[in-house]
Amino acid sequence: MRNEVFKNRSHDPRIAYRGQNASRLDNLTDAVFGIAITLLIFNLTNPNSFEDLLTFTKTLPAFLISISFIILIWNEHLYFSEVYTLNDSMLAFLNTIFIALIIFYVYPLRFLTLYLTNYFFYTDIAVTIEGNQVPSLMIYYGFIAFALYFILFLFYQRAFKIKHELALNEFEVFYTSSQRWRLFIMFSIPLLSILVTLVINRYSFIWASLAGGLVYLLYTPLIIWWQIKFKSRSKAFDYV
Amino acid sequence: MRNEVFKNRSHDPRIAYRGQNASRLDNLTDAVFGIAITLLIFNLTNPNSFEDLLTFTKTLPAFLISISFIILIWNEHLYFSEVYTLNDSMLAFLNTIFIALIIFYVYPLRFLTLYLTNYFFYTDIAVTIEGNQVPSLMIYYGFIAFALYFILFLFYQRAFKIKHELALNEFEVFYTSSQRWRLFIMFSIPLLSILVTLVINRYSFIWASLAGGLVYLLYTPLIIWWQIKFKSRSKAFDYV
Amino acid sequence: MRNEVFKNRSHDPRIAYRGQNASRLDNLTDAVFGIAITLLIFNLTNPNSFEDLLTFTKTLPAFLISISFIILIWNEHLYFSEVYTLNDSMLAFLNTIFIALIIFYVYPLRFLTLYLTNYFFYTDIAVTIEGNQVPSLMIYYGFIAFALYFILFLFYQRAFKIKHELALNEFEVFYTSSQRWRLFIMFSIPLLSILVTLVINRYSFIWASLAGGLVYLLYTPLIIWWQIKFKSRSKAFDYV
Amino acid sequence: MRNEVFKNRSHDPRIAYRGQNASRLDNLTDAVFGIAITLLIFNLTNPNSFEDLLTFTKTLPAFLISISFIILIWNEHLYFSEVYTLNDSMLAFLNTIFIALIIFYVYPLRFLTLYLTNYFFYTDIAVTIEGNQVPSLMIYYGFIAFALYFILFLFYQRAFKIKHELALNEFEVFYTSSQRWRLFIMFSIPLLSILVTLVINRYSFIWASLAGGLVYLLYTPLIIWWQIKFKSRSKAFDYV
């Protein structure tokens, strides 16, 4: 019925993909994501003249940044669901919180889109923020990033716990444990950024904003370090 | 094509899952659920300043409660559809009413979300309700809960009636009949709560609100009693 | 992978269901239907007080009528797509017009929902229509019903035309031709209603509204007549 | 499980359709398309009187034109995804930009729908555009058409690059390369139209609008020329 030549291309042959076909919970999650993405930009402005249309178009670059954040999170959901499926009441519960957080993610991203558009193009879309609110805004985004990755961490945590029910093989147990570490990195950095911003904000909101932002640069070395470690260790399973 | 290791993990091996793949009626229902969940929070407020964003964020805890109610109902639909499919014109008709009720469920939940947010955080989102309206509100929510579970009861009732066409085995007939009883409990308690509230409301709206709410505590013992009975009886089918 | 016990219950064993699994065109159509159904009631009123909530609730009976019309049309799409699939560029083109008509169907249904709610409950939702506009409104609904069923008629017409490419067996050719007749009835009655309304409207708008509405009563005898004929003729294929 | 008689009717037997079943990325894209199509017309006007309903109905012809543009683009996505699937991180990245562009495509199409409706029916829906803005509008639409087809060109470009991982057979390599040329034509003409409009607009906005529009007539001969070449060359693979 289906040609399988390419289907598993980017898939690891050592992993049994339990959820290759989308379940209804996947479909529900995708519907929410689709609506969230569409509403990110819809109703922002309702262009009735050509000038309005041009102003609207200027939101495109900022919109591309916002949509990327959503797709990144969607990919994490896809990768997890493909390997383990969400056929477990605890995972279904976590998925409910995940869906709720995604919808909550849209308004701040919309806010960010408009703010960046004003910043790039000197447009006058009504968004007001003052200098001394920037640290609070960074704490805000940091908290959402933390919450989303923490839920994803709990997904892998749960998968690890029910490894016997899932009949995970040795490589899959290692993979689950590694992914858990990756998501630990993913949620720890926003948390660190929040702490740094909070502490320095007592003295100066400018330095707090700067330092809080710089913490996110830690993502690059830490994820590279994780990948090197994951690859070297996963080689041991090649001949199993 | 698909790895079946985990797919049936939480499934009962004595049941033939007729609707493991989502039908188009499932997809339509999921689309409605996805939009309902998203619109539960969207358009509530359109934050243009950082203060608005903070007010918006305060709706998160109440939103998590509201979304849980929707997901609970969605799960009931999923469980039924997985076992029996909705491939029957009577079930398709019931599903139409079910979809309509879900959409009607959103506005009261939205109302509840805003009300609870005001209650938790002393925010001033425009929602007005007075003390002597609380019993009416409880009757209102009770009625929606009753209607949704009553439709789900009719789903199982229908499945029981067409057991020959569905080729249900002995255990499945017992399972269907048991689920019918569970949903009888589920829809009776809201009904009882409505009656209690109506009767006591003649004398005092405070006692009516309290008594009407306390009735819902009956869910815990009754469902536990049902589960114990279901498990003990279902053991008889283990060696069939 | 899938239990087939019940899946084909209401299916005719003489028909090869070519589109039992939903194609992407089906999914797209379902997404549009899902949003159309949800938007039928959303944003009508935004209840902020308990009185608003009660007014909103009064739209439920009229909403159930409106949603039934949409589900009826959706069922027609499902039945066609299950038997023939929409894997043909002409059918894909017709489906585009079908989707567009569905979206156009929502606003008039919304109008009808509010009108009927005002009529049933003496609510004061702002919808204004005068007596002498009723014939125009009937022509309007008649036209939409005609257009939708005419497109569905063209679906079967197309399926009949490509019967060799579809490899339809003898019974399927008869089935396709019969369904074409059924849809001919379905689209002719609204057309007849429009004509009757137009002609009588020259003399009296009251009689025009009445006569135009009575024409729809023809559905019952004509569809029963069609069903009897279909059943008697289809028996000839039982032993093929 | 599924009758395959018709499923591959319009499919080329020399091509292995890798993505015949919709992936979750397809589902997400379809959800976005479904919402985009629905929102194209929704909220334009909210008819409360019968006159409003008639004005709304007059948008139907222009809406059919707008929806056709969206379905054309959707078909391109379907055709690509069916043959190659989107199971590649680079393609997933391109798909993100594609989704974003689709959502951005809706507002200008909505603008066009209202503009054409005013033009056809002398309605007074509030859309303002002046004669000397027509060239800018043409550049605008040209740019969106260019961007969408350019992304689709990059889809095929990517598929060509990973032909070994995709295990494309000889005919499929030829097919991919041909499709790349077709999309080169598709994105070049809007680009040419933009250039022509920009150059002539220095002298006269009337001639610029006219010339810019005439460039699109090149589509017909160029696509016919491409089809003839594709068919003649593809014959060589018939006996492979």
Side-chain angles (χ1 to χ4, degrees), chain B residues 119-171:
Chain B
Y119 188 82
F120 291 158
F121 296 105
Y122 309 106
T123 49
D124 54 352
I125 305 170
V127 171
T128 52
I129 187 153
E130 282 153 49
N132 60 351
Q133 286 180 333
V134 174
S136 309
L137 198 65
M138 292 196 65
I139 291 167
Y140 189 96
Y141 289 114
F143 182 74
I144 293 176
F146 159 71
L148 278 167
Y149 283 111
F150 186 66
I151 291 289
L152 287 163
F153 171 79
L154 292 178
F155 269 62
Y156 282 99
Q157 182 73 18
R158 174 70 189 166
F160 192 80
K161 209 179 159 189
I162 58 172
K163 58 187 168 192
H164 296 302
E165 289 90 334
L166 281 164
L168 296 185
N169 64 35
E170 254 181 86
F171 177 74

Side-chain angles (χ1 to χ4, degrees), chain C residues 121-182:
Chain C
F121 296 104
Y122 310 104
T123 48
D124 54 350
I125 305 169
V127 170
T128 52
I129 187 153
E130 283 154 49
N132 60 350
Q133 285 180 332
V134 173
S136 309
L137 198 64
M138 292 196 64
I139 291 167
Y140 188 96
Y141 289 114
F143 181 75
I144 293 176
F146 159 72
L148 279 166
Y149 282 112
F150 186 67
I151 291 289
L152 287 163
F153 170 79
L154 292 178
F155 270 62
Y156 282 98
Q157 183 74 18
R158 174 70 188 166
F160 193 80
K161 209 178 158 190
I162 58 171
K163 59 187 167 192
H164 296 303
E165 290 91 333
L166 281 163
L168 296 185
N169 65 34
E170 254 181 87
F171 177 75
E172 287 169 337
V173 169
F174 158 75
Y175 174 85
T176 310
S177 164
S178 299
Q179 291 297 323
R180 226 170 27 162
W181 275 106
R182 187 176 60 80

Side-chain angles (χ1 to χ4, degrees), chain A residues 2-3 5-7 9-10 26 30 35 41-43 45 48-51 56-57 59-60 63 74 77, chain D residues 16 21 24-25 35 84-85 87-88 96 100 103-104 106-107 110 127-128 133 136-137 140 165-167:
Chain A
R2 191 209 263 183
N3 188 305
V5 179
F6 179 48
K7 200 66 192 174
R9 206 188 62 79
S10 66
D26 291 330
D30 288 356
I35 300 155
I41 200 62
F42 251 87
N43 296 324
T45 57
N48 286 325
S49 70
F50 188 65
E51 283 81 16
F56 169 72
T57 310
T59 59
L60 181 55
F63 179 59
W74 182 79
H77 189 271
Chain D
N21 283 30
R24 275 188 67 188
L25 198 53
I35 300 155
Y84 311 96
T85 78
N87 204 355
D88 171 76
T96 305
I103 300 171
F104 258 79
V106 170
Y107 266 120
R110 206 166 168 172
V127 170
T128 51
Q133 285 180 333
S136 309
L137 199 64
Y140 189 96
E165 289 91 334
L166 281 164

Side-chain angles (χ1 to χ4, degrees), chain C:
Chain C
M1 178 185 113
R2 190 208 266 183
N3 189 305
E4 291 299 310
V5 180
F6 179 47
K7 198 68 193 172
N8 294 317
R9 206 188 58 79
S10 66
H11 282 172
D12 196 314
R14 294 163 295 184
I15 294 176
Y17 289 84
R18 288 154 182 82
Q20 202 139 25
N21 283 31
S23 71
R24 276 188 67 191
L25 198 54
D26 292 330
N27 286 342
L28 186 70
T29 311
D30 289 355
V32 169
F33 267 98
I35 300 156
I37 288 171
T38 316
L39 291 182
L40 190 60
I41 200 63
F42 252 87
N43 296 324
L44 275 184
T45 57
N46 199 344
N48 286 324
S49 70
F50 187 65
E51 284 81 16
D52 290 352
L53 203 61
L54 284 183
T55 308
F56 169 72
T57 310
K58 285 174 180 160
T59 59
L60 182 57
F63 178 60
L64 281 175
I65 295 170
S66 297
I67 213 178
S68 304
F69 284 126
I70 294 188
I71 296 284
L72 268 180
I73 297 292
W74 182 79
N75 266 324
E76 291 279 356
H77 189 271
L78 173 68
Y79 291 157
F80 182 86
S81 168
E82 265 189 349
V83 177
Y84 310 95
T85 77
L86 296 166
N87 203 354
D88 171 76
S89 53
M90 184 64 197
L91 288 173
F93 172 75
L94 288 173
N95 201 66
T96 305
I97 302 175
F98 183 78
I99 287 175
L101 284 171
I102 283 302
I103 300 171
F104 258 80
Y105 199 31
V106 170
Y107 266 119
L109 279 180
R110 205 165 168 172
F111 191 81
L112 184 75
T113 305
L114 294 182
Y115 183 76
L116 287 177
T117 304
N118 280 345
Y119 187 82
F120 290 159
F121 296 104
Y122 310 104
T123 48
D124 54 350
I125 305 169
V127 170
T128 52
I129 187 153
E130 283 154 49
N132 60 350
Q133 285 180 332
V134 173
S136 309
L137 198 64
M138 292 196 64
I139 291 167
Y140 188 96
Y141 289 114
F143 181 75
I144 293 176
F146 159 72
L148 279 166
Y149 282 112
F150 186 67
I151 291 289
L152 287 163
F153 170 79
L154 292 178
F155 270 62
Y156 282 98
Q157 183 74 18
R158 174 70 188 166
F160 193 80
K161 209 178 158 190
I162 58 171
K163 59 187 167 192
H164 296 303
E165 290 91 333
L166 281 163
L168 296 185
N169 65 34
E170 254 181 87
F171 177 75
E172 287 169 337
V173 169
F174 158 75
Y175 174 85
T176 310
S177 164
S178 299
Q179 291 297 323
R180 226 170 27 162
W181 275 106
R182 187 176 60 80
L183 286 159
F184 178 77
I185 297 169
M186 296 306 278
F187 81 71
S188 299
I189 289 174
L191 212 59
L192 187 66
S193 168
I194 291 171
L195 286 172
V196 166
T197 313
L198 277 176
V199 169
I200 306 183
N201 199 27
R202 291 186 193 170
Y203 313 104
S204 153
F205 73 83
I206 298 174
W207 285 107
S209 313
L210 200 70
L214 287 174
V215 168
Y216 287 99
L217 294 180
L218 286 171
Y219 267 134
T220 319
L222 282 173
I223 289 299
I224 289 172
W225 172 77
W226 176 86
Q227 271 179 331
I228 291 167
K229 225 166 170 189
F230 174 74
K231 274 189 188 158
S232 77
R233 283 203 193 164
S234 73
K235 267 181 195 157
F237 294 90
D238 276 2
Y239 308 103
V240 174

Side-chain angles (χ1 to χ4, degrees), chain B residues 75-122:
Chain B
N75 266 325
E76 291 279 357
H77 189 272
L78 173 68
Y79 291 156
F80 182 85
S81 168
E82 265 188 348
V83 176
Y84 310 95
T85 78
L86 297 165
N87 203 355
D88 172 74
S89 54
M90 184 63 197
L91 288 174
F93 172 75
L94 288 173
N95 202 66
T96 305
I97 302 175
F98 183 78
I99 287 175
L101 285 172
I102 283 301
I103 300 171
F104 259 79
Y105 199 31
V106 170
Y107 266 120
L109 279 181
R110 206 165 166 173
F111 191 81
L112 184 74
T113 305
L114 295 182
Y115 183 76
L116 287 177
T117 304
N118 280 344
Y119 188 82
F120 291 158
F121 296 105
Y122 309 106

